[in-house]
């Protein structure tokens, strides 16, 4: 077992990573804490193999934590800000997870850690693909203007990119969040969502009909961009009978 520590100043982020760790058979959670000083003490005392470490924290930043820890444990950085990636890799972090973190991306990172921390360990097969029942209960958290909001994946109709923010459309509401399309695309399971245009990601399950290069979801008409056309119609052809 790889003994893990989670450090993040947002309790919600801790809860998500605790849940993810519980699903990976070769990871063991030792502690999840919002206190980076407490976490650093645990690392220096030994017995921690891997730390999932937030970058932006008030008392001690993730980068400062890394420098003080001085290689006593392996670290995977977690943050919503990609500009810290280069500095993190210069400090020999194992991986860099951008929030919102999807479970499949988390699992790949955990496998990478296992290969480095336990190189002789018998490989653990990846979890089974998300079943429909699991998909119905899976969700992401997104930051809106005043709160962090849970969005169930099965509720998402499509996502529209608009300059510096995106809109997530569900049957009941439009959720606006400061995020970019690439990060959102990476956070969504490709089995259920596909990028069809530089400005649109659609839920495959929610498509009502397709006419030439137009997708109809409810009363919304979404164009299929030239760059994404081939990949999209491969999926459509695979569903044809």
């Amino acid at each position: 077992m790889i003994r893990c520590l989670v450090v993040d100043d947002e309790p919600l982020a801790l809860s998500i990573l605790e849940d993810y760790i519980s699903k990976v058979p070769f990871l063991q959670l030792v502690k999840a804490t919002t206190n980076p000083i407490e976490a650093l003490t645990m690392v220096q005392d030994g017995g921690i193999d891997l730390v999932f470490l937030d970058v932006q924290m008030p008392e001690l930043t993730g980068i400062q934590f890394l420098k003080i820890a001085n290689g006593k444990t392996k670290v995977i950085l977690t943050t919503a800000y990609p500009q810290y990636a280069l500095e993190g890799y210069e400090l020999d972090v194992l991986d860099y997870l951008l929030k919102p973190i999807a479970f499949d991306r988390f699992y790949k990172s955990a496998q990478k850690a296992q290969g480095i921390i336990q190189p002789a360990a018998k490989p653990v097969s990846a979890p089974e693909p998300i079943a429909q029942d699991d998909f119905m209960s899976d969700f992401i958290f997104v930051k809106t203007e005043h709160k962090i909001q849970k969005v169930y994946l099965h509720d998402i109709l499509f996502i529209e990119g608009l300059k510096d923010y995106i809109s997530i459309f569900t049957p009941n509401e439009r959720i606006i969040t400061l995020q970019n399309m690439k990060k959102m695309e990476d956070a969504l399971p490709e089995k259920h969502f596909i990028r069809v245009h530089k400005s649109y990601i659609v839920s495959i399950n929610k498509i009502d009909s397709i006419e030439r290069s137009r997708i109809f979801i409810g009363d919304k008409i979404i164009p299929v961009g030239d760059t994404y056309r081939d990949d999209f119609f491969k999926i459509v052809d695979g569903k044809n009978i």
Side-chain angles (χ1 to χ4, degrees):
M1 298 291 283
I2 296 174
R3 291 168 55 82
C4 301
L5 180 62
V6 181
V7 192
D8 199 303
D9 64 334
E10 294 183 2
L12 199 56
L14 288 182
S15 178
I16 293 170
L17 289 176
E18 283 183 87
D19 178 57
Y20 284 179
I21 288 171
S22 72
K23 295 176 180 177
V24 180
F26 54 85
L27 297 183
Q28 177 187 351
L29 180 64
V30 176
K31 191 174 183 64
T33 180
T34 59
N35 186 337
I37 307 300
E38 177 189 25
L40 186 58
T41 300
M42 293 178 66
V43 167
Q44 291 173 329
D45 287 343
I48 301 297
D49 303 311
L50 178 63
V51 179
F52 292 92
L53 178 66
D54 187 27
V55 173
Q56 287 198 318
M57 296 179 289
E59 296 90 356
L60 189 70
T61 70
I63 300 301
Q64 292 169 332
F65 186 106
L66 277 167
K67 291 177 179 178
I68 297 170
N70 196 27
K72 287 190 175 181
T73 187
K74 298 299 184 183
V75 173
I76 293 173
L77 289 180
T78 64
T79 182
Y81 302 95
Q83 63 265 32
Y84 295 106
L86 179 58
E87 188 172 4
Y89 281 122
E90 288 174 348
L91 291 167
D92 200 29
V93 301
L94 292 187
D95 206 351
Y96 190 93
L97 297 176
L98 285 174
K99 300 175 182 178
I101 302 167
F103 178 72
D104 59 342
R105 178 67 182 87
F106 174 87
Y107 190 83
K108 288 177 184 177
S109 188
Q111 284 186 309
K112 181 178 180 181
Q114 185 190 34
I116 293 171
I117 297 170
Q118 299 176 331
K122 182 179 179 181
V124 176
S125 59
E128 291 296 317
I130 296 175
Q132 183 65 21
D133 288 344
D134 294 329
F135 175 66
M136 293 298 286
S137 62
D138 205 4
F139 57 86
I140 57 174
F141 285 102
V142 296
K143 290 183 178 180
T144 62
E145 187 176 358
H146 302 296
K147 61 185 177 181
I148 297 175
Q149 183 166 345
K150 176 191 283 187
V151 182
Y152 283 99
L153 298 187
H154 67 84
D155 282 338
I156 298 175
L157 301 174
F158 62 91
I159 297 165
E160 182 178 11
L162 298 165
K163 248 187 166 180
D164 298 327
Y165 63 93
I166 63 172
S167 293
I168 301 172
F169 288 83
T170 75
N172 300 316
E173 62 182 328
R174 174 191 181 193
I175 303 161
I176 298 174
T177 178
L178 285 172
Q179 188 62 269
N180 65 61
M181 290 289 280
K182 182 64 171 68
K183 282 172 63 177
M184 182 58 65
E185 183 182 8
D186 290 343
L188 296 170
E190 60 182 18
K191 179 180 178 181
H192 297 287
F193 294 89
I194 184 169
R195 184 91 172 259
V196 297
H197 188 276
K198 67 179 181 179
S199 300
Y200 290 98
I201 297 169
V202 301
S203 171
I204 299 169
N205 295 334
K206 296 297 194 295
I207 295 174
D208 294 319
S209 61
I210 304 162
E211 182 182 318
R212 296 188 177 88
S213 292
R214 297 186 301 171
I215 297 168
F216 292 80
I217 299 178
D219 58 2
K220 178 69 176 181
I221 302 174
I222 297 170
V224 179
D226 292 340
T227 304
Y228 307 93
R229 188 187 315 276
D230 289 348
D231 287 342
F232 173 66
F233 280 103
K234 281 179 186 176
I235 291 175
V236 173
D237 291 341
K239 297 288 186 182
N240 279 345
I241 58 171

